[in-house]
Amino acid sequence: MEAYKTQNKFLNSEIYQLTKLWRKSSEQERSLMVKCSYLEATNCQVESRYLGVLRKLQDAKSLAPEQQEAVQKMIEDALRGELKSVMKLSADREYDEYGFKIIPDYEVEDMKLLAKIQALEIRSHNLLQQDRVERPLLGRWAQYLAGRSEYDLCPSPELKALLRGGVPREYRQRVWGWLVRARTRTIREQHPQRYQQLCEKSRTSTHPASRQIQLDLHRTLTTNQKFSSPSSPALQQLRRILLAFSWQNPAVGYCQGLNRLAAIALLVLQNEEDAFWCLVAVVEVIMPQDYYTKNLVASQADQRVLKDFMAEKLPRLAAHFETHGVDVSLVTFNWFLVVFVESLPSDILLPVWDAFLYEGTKVIFRYALALFKYKEEDILKIQDSTEIYQYLRFFTKTISDCRKLTAIAFNDMNPFPRRLLRNRRALHLERLQGELLELEEQQKEFVTESTERKDKELEMASEDDDEL
């Protein structure tokens, strides 16, 4: 017994010592990883600033030809260089977890440079926020979802706050699946085999929009790995989703832009039928009626509503645009139609969609205004309308801090009452419908007058023939 006691005491002491060593080793490893992340983030910032300086030098008109040539050479070297600072330390990656190219291939060199600067800045922010923001957020989501089934999530202020902070990649598919089911529960319970029936109808009947859908397939998310090959399974899934939806909603059928909405849903949900229902949720439930119909009347009304909100929340910028005759809807119309797809990088786009699927279109207005607020000072410095339009065309490619943008959208843009949005929509929709009716009347009058004028000309011509 004494021998066993001595042996037990020795083993316990050994286990205690090993546990201490393991804890110390884990702490050292974590400390080294934090230092490594900080160094990588700093390196990303340095490289980003270096590229920013090169871009400014590229635009400088005072440089001698040989200096311009040297700057051009440095830019080419930078674009061709190793992108280790933008990749994870474990392995070099060209694409992110959803298949988006980390640095998109643009034909214009200046856009390539901007894309690389943005990728470096985003990587830097992500690394610096890992311990302070991302890990606590992951813990909060893990705690919230622990013990809950996929059908047990219910709307609450806690869930709203979590969604505004963004869903971690580990939980996004599950959370989006619940959000879509919550939006489409009634129709899915009434028609459990709806998607299969629509797919069968697509196989046996040709929809008038099938040709346009086929053309748009190869223009969908061209920088995404999943859609880059003509023989990609994702493209075939997307085709079936869009054809099924065109039968599901005859009022819309197919509208350019739906391909991008369905593609994002497919990338996250990774299930063809779930992606179809996500498209149904966005078009038929979340967005106002007539948003994607032929005349896009509700989409046009939203652009007028946005201008109203801009005049209130960003008065200096609204006055600046008015002074220079800049119509922001030429840029923002597409943001609203496809909910920022291909306007924002995936690291920023997907958190926008997390909140959008829960709160609805108010989120689009918040983020549209936040984007302008984010770059307000830079826009105000530009005093030429052509240059303003050029800047607006690419300025979303310079947004890199998702947390800052989110804070602007949900803090700086308050208050943002839903009732006010609803009332303004109704007002502008009524005015727009009146204008469209007036335009139709003018078109009818023109056609009638044109026909009468042609008839008179024919009569005069026949009378001249008789005289001859």
Side-chain angles (χ1 to χ4, degrees):
M1 285 292 290
E2 287 300 319
Y4 276 123
K5 281 181 184 178
T6 306
Q7 188 180 15
N8 193 39
K9 199 179 287 184
F10 171 75
L11 286 170
N12 283 342
S13 172
E14 202 170 48
I15 289 166
Y16 175 71
Q17 292 299 326
L18 283 168
T19 303
K20 273 181 72 177
L21 286 168
W22 174 77
R23 280 181 182 160
K24 190 176 179 182
S25 172
S26 295
E27 284 171 10
Q28 284 177 337
E29 184 186 6
R30 189 171 178 279
S31 176
L32 284 169
M33 286 302 292
V34 169
K35 284 179 182 175
C36 199
S37 293
Y38 176 75
L39 287 169
E40 191 184 353
T42 307
N43 183 46
C44 286
Q45 287 175 343
V46 169
E47 192 175 347
S48 166
R49 285 168 191 159
Y50 167 69
L51 292 172
V53 169
L54 286 180
R55 189 165 176 267
K56 283 180 181 174
L57 286 171
Q58 186 185 35
D59 295 337
K61 294 178 172 65
S62 57
L63 293 179
E66 60 272 13
Q67 290 172 324
Q68 287 178 346
E69 195 177 323
V71 168
Q72 196 61 34
K73 177 77 168 60
M74 289 163 80
I75 288 170
E76 287 169 10
D77 290 344
L79 290 172
R80 273 201 305 267
E82 291 288 320
L83 302 178
K84 288 176 183 174
S85 55
V86 194
M87 313 301 176
K88 279 190 175 177
L89 293 173
S90 55
D92 285 352
R93 297 183 309 141
E94 201 178 343
Y95 298 89
D96 69 9
E97 295 85 352
Y98 294 100
F100 288 99
K101 201 156 191 179
I102 291 172
I103 301 180
D105 288 328
Y106 292 111
E107 291 180 13
V108 182
E109 194 172 84
D110 196 41
M111 292 296 282
K112 284 182 185 176
L113 199 58
L114 272 175
K116 186 168 181 182
I117 291 170
Q118 187 182 40
L120 287 162
E121 288 288 331
I122 288 171
R123 179 68 179 149
S124 170
H125 286 301
N126 289 347
L127 287 164
L128 291 171
Q129 289 171 353
Q130 265 180 359
D131 276 338
R132 188 169 55 84
V133 179
E134 302 305 330
R135 283 198 182 94
L137 182 67
L138 186 63
R140 284 170 65 204
W141 270 105
Q143 189 178 1
Y144 180 81
L145 294 170
R148 293 177 191 264
S149 71
E150 291 182 359
Y151 302 96
D152 195 25
L153 294 173
C154 56
S156 67
E158 184 186 5
L159 179 60
K160 183 179 179 179
L162 281 169
L163 286 164
R164 285 182 172 189
V167 184
R169 183 177 52 84
E170 295 86 339
Y171 302 121
R172 185 168 275 130
Q173 182 184 356
R174 178 182 170 186
V175 173
W176 278 32
W178 174 80
L179 292 170
V180 169
R181 272 192 297 277
R183 295 275 189 184
T184 57
R185 183 173 287 119
T186 304
I187 187 172
R188 291 175 85 166
E189 286 174 355
Q190 290 172 350
H191 307 282
Q193 297 299 311
R194 184 69 170 162
Y195 183 64
Q196 289 74 18
Q197 291 164 356
L198 292 168
C199 284
E200 183 59 35
K201 190 169 186 179
S202 299
R203 279 191 290 272
T204 55
S205 309
T206 304
H207 195 279
S210 58
R211 189 171 180 277
Q212 188 60 54
I213 289 170
Q214 192 62 41
L215 287 171
D216 282 356
L217 282 180
H218 305 291
R219 303 169 187 159
T220 306
L221 305 188
T222 51
T223 62
N224 191 285
Q225 195 177 26
K226 307 280 175 67
F227 297 101
S228 57
S229 167
S231 59
S232 162
L235 275 181
Q236 302 315 310
Q237 289 177 317
L238 184 62
R239 180 178 174 276
R240 288 193 290 272
I241 291 166
L242 294 172
L243 282 170
F245 182 81
S246 63
W247 288 112
Q248 155 73 16
N249 191 323
V252 174
Y254 175 73
C255 166
Q256 285 184 322
L258 296 185
N259 54 326
R260 283 176 274 180
L261 297 174
I264 287 293
L266 193 57
L267 288 172
V268 174
L269 294 166
Q270 297 176 31
N271 177 284
E272 193 176 315
E273 186 174 356
D274 288 345
F276 164 77
W277 285 114
C278 185
L279 184 61
V280 171
V282 171
V283 178
E284 297 184 6
V285 184
I286 299 174
M287 292 302 207
Q289 193 177 356
D290 292 331
Y291 218 81
Y292 298 95
T293 48
K294 193 175 179 182
N295 58 13
L296 302 168
V297 65
S299 304
Q300 293 180 60
D302 267 5
Q303 295 309 302
R304 297 186 180 190
V305 175
L306 177 67
K307 286 174 186 175
D308 284 354
F309 280 125
M310 189 173 281
E312 288 172 16
K313 299 189 181 289
L314 302 169
R316 288 193 305 153
L317 201 56
H320 186 66
F321 287 144
E322 193 173 341
T323 302
H324 294 284
V326 172
D327 182 4
V328 291
S329 66
L330 295 174
V331 176
T332 58
F333 188 84
N334 197 51
W335 293 358
F336 279 67
L337 203 65
V338 297
V339 196
F340 300 105
V341 176
E342 292 189 308
S343 291
L344 292 171
S346 60
D347 295 73
I348 299 174
L349 173 71
L350 294 173
V352 172
W353 271 65
D354 294 338
F356 163 72
L357 288 174
Y358 183 80
E359 294 186 54
T361 51
K362 218 167 65 157
V363 170
I364 308 179
F365 283 96
R366 282 184 176 274
Y367 272 100
L369 293 165
L371 284 166
F372 285 116
K373 177 69 175 173
Y374 193 109
K375 289 290 180 180
E376 183 177 20
E377 296 306 322
D378 290 344
I379 298 169
L380 289 171
K381 289 173 187 173
I382 307 170
Q383 299 299 324
D384 178 79
S385 60
T386 307
E387 287 182 25
I388 292 172
Y389 276 121
Q390 286 174 345
Y391 183 81
L392 293 179
R393 189 173 55 85
F394 70 77
F395 88 105
T396 56
K397 306 283 186 269
T398 66
I399 306 292
S400 56
D401 191 343
C402 183
R403 293 291 160 201
K404 180 182 173 182
L405 185 68
T406 301
I408 295 170
F410 293 112
N411 296 331
D412 295 13
M413 292 302 126
N414 285 338
F416 212 102
R418 193 178 296 276
R419 184 182 293 176
L420 180 63
L421 173 59
R422 193 165 50 242
N423 291 344
R424 288 196 174 167
R425 266 184 170 150
L427 174 70
H428 285 295
L429 194 58
E430 189 180 345
R431 285 178 182 172
L432 199 57
Q433 285 170 337
E435 289 169 19
L436 287 171
L437 283 170
E438 192 179 329
L439 187 63
E440 282 177 20
E441 289 299 321
Q442 288 174 356
Q443 285 173 339
K444 283 177 186 175
E445 283 176 22
F446 175 78
V447 170
T448 306
E449 286 174 9
S450 180
T451 307
E452 287 173 359
R453 191 168 56 249
K454 282 179 183 176
D455 289 343
K456 281 181 182 177
E457 285 172 359
L458 283 168
E459 283 174 15
M460 287 172 69
S462 62
E463 284 174 10
D464 289 346
D465 289 343
D466 289 343
E467 284 175 13
L468 285 166

